[in-house]
Amino acid sequence: MLIGLCGSMLAGKQSVAAYLVDHAPECIAFTKVEELVDFITKRWQQRWVTTDIWDESVLEKLLRRPSFFLVSVDAPLSLRWQRCERRCASDGQPSPSLAEFVARNDHHLYDQKVGLARLIDRAEVRLVNRSDNLEQLHHTLEELDLTNEQRLRPGWDQYFMQLASLAAQRSNCMKRRVGSVLVREKRVISTGYNGTPRIKITQVGISEVVYSHGYGMDGEVRRNPAKQGSNFANFLPLEEALYCWNPDRENRLTENLSNSAQFTLLLVVISGPQKDMT
């Protein structure tokens, strides 16, 4: 696994990298991105981290390997300026003014040739680091679980939920998009979305209904299928965005991008002999 880190200046990329390689510190330099790709390809079962992703051409070459994924690290501008002041003071260097720092930040992110904003937009996982407390940052990273193998190869429920998400995009309902996938022994039997004829769960032998976090599944909806032996489960995917707050905050705001989508996703699992669905 290769984790790529990108983001704004002084957002904490090096702190995140240090946490991820804490148990196996090793630094290897490459003169070309192709050398890095070849190195990782031969060692894909090990965990590696890089912060040297400077343009989209480099990112495209890394994305060709299924063992790579990109993480963006950001922090509020005022907090990053304060970090800059502290770093300059510790190094005995003059600190830039806020206006100068903003200009550097804009160049770093939005310059037509070297700006990194386009890379940040392509990150699969986003971390907003609002804390200068390393312990709090490490706690946030532990919850985010960046090294989870399902980020590279999704589990069955996540895989089928993604298919349901794609099916939901076909819906023309003006109120709510709902996608569903019928699964039997880990094989897709059918897909559907609201607007098509309904299939009654109790008539086709569906043994389990897995629904996304944002879908309303009340007791009335569960009652009849439950009498026929159908189980219900709430699917919670891995978090793709996490906010690390200052330690004095009472609550940490977490935002799951998968749950903020405009779709409602359903996965239903069929067991037993297949029955007529007409």
Side-chain angles (χ1 to χ4, degrees):
M1 173 186 290
L2 173 61
I3 301 176
L5 300 176
C6 67
S8 52
M9 299 186 305
L10 297 170
K13 297 184 292 294
Q14 296 299 332
S15 296
V16 174
Y19 171 84
L20 293 174
V21 300
D22 180 54
H23 299 292
E26 183 177 2
C27 182
I28 303 176
F30 302 93
T31 58
K32 298 180 180 179
V33 66
E34 289 81 4
E35 296 177 1
L36 172 60
V37 171
D38 291 340
F39 179 86
I40 293 300
T41 302
K42 297 175 182 178
R43 299 164 178 82
W44 63 274
Q45 291 182 313
Q46 302 176 27
R47 295 173 180 173
W48 305 90
V49 180
T50 180
T51 58
D52 293 327
I53 305 175
W54 54 87
D55 59 35
E56 286 190 289
S57 64
V58 173
L59 179 60
E60 290 294 343
K61 293 175 182 178
L62 294 173
L63 287 173
R64 294 174 187 171
R65 294 295 181 265
S67 58
F68 171 81
F69 74 95
L70 183 65
V71 178
S72 71
V73 184
D74 201 0
L77 180 64
S78 59
L79 182 59
R80 291 190 285 117
W81 179 49
Q82 294 171 9
R83 293 173 182 171
C84 179
E85 288 186 311
R86 290 195 297 268
R87 179 174 296 183
C88 290
S90 63
D91 294 340
Q93 300 292 330
S95 174
S97 66
L98 178 58
E100 292 172 336
F101 185 81
V102 169
R104 295 181 188 179
N105 178 75
D106 289 347
H107 177 78
H108 178 76
L109 293 179
Y110 307 115
D111 182 82
Q112 187 173 359
K113 294 183 178 179
V114 299
L116 299 183
R118 290 189 296 270
L119 301 185
I120 296 173
D121 288 340
R122 300 180 63 178
E124 299 175 58
V125 180
R126 299 180 181 181
L127 170 66
V128 178
N129 177 21
R130 295 195 57 179
S131 174
D132 281 330
N133 185 297
L134 281 179
E135 183 179 352
Q136 183 71 15
L137 175 61
H138 292 174
H139 177 71
T140 302
L141 290 171
E142 183 179 354
E143 289 189 355
L144 193 54
D145 194 13
L146 291 176
T147 58
N148 192 309
E149 295 294 337
Q150 288 195 23
R151 296 195 180 278
L152 301 178
R153 188 169 187 258
W156 285 111
D157 281 353
Q158 185 177 354
Y159 168 65
F160 294 132
M161 278 293 181
Q162 289 173 347
L163 294 181
S165 174
L166 182 61
Q169 296 181 39
R170 285 286 303 162
S171 171
N172 58 4
C173 179
M174 299 301 294
K175 293 184 178 180
R176 191 175 197 182
R177 290 179 171 181
V178 181
S180 64
V181 177
L182 298 181
V183 178
R184 182 166 173 260
E185 297 177 354
K186 294 184 173 60
R187 292 175 179 265
V188 175
I189 303 301
S190 180
T191 64
Y193 49 90
N194 55 336
T196 58
R198 295 184 178 180
I199 299 175
K200 294 184 178 180
I201 292 177
T202 57
Q203 292 180 349
V204 296
I206 291 175
S207 62
E208 184 179 16
V209 176
V210 182
Y211 58 97
S212 67
H213 178 68
Y215 188 78
M217 189 69 71
D218 56 30
E220 293 296 326
V221 175
R222 296 169 179 257
R223 184 167 301 165
N224 287 333
K227 292 180 180 178
Q228 303 298 324
S230 297
N231 298 319
F232 290 80
N234 191 348
F235 175 72
L236 297 174
L238 293 171
E239 291 180 295
E240 296 179 355
L242 204 58
Y243 287 74
C244 179
W245 294 93
N246 288 324
D248 57 346
R249 299 284 181 133
E250 293 183 0
N251 298 316
R252 178 181 58 81
L253 173 64
T254 60
E255 176 187 356
N256 192 307
L257 299 186
S258 296
N259 293 339
S260 65
Q262 300 179 24
F263 319 126
T264 297
L265 315 180
L266 286 174
L267 163 64
V268 293
V269 182
I270 301 176
S271 65
Q274 189 170 357
K275 300 181 181 180
D276 185 13
M277 294 186 181
T278 58

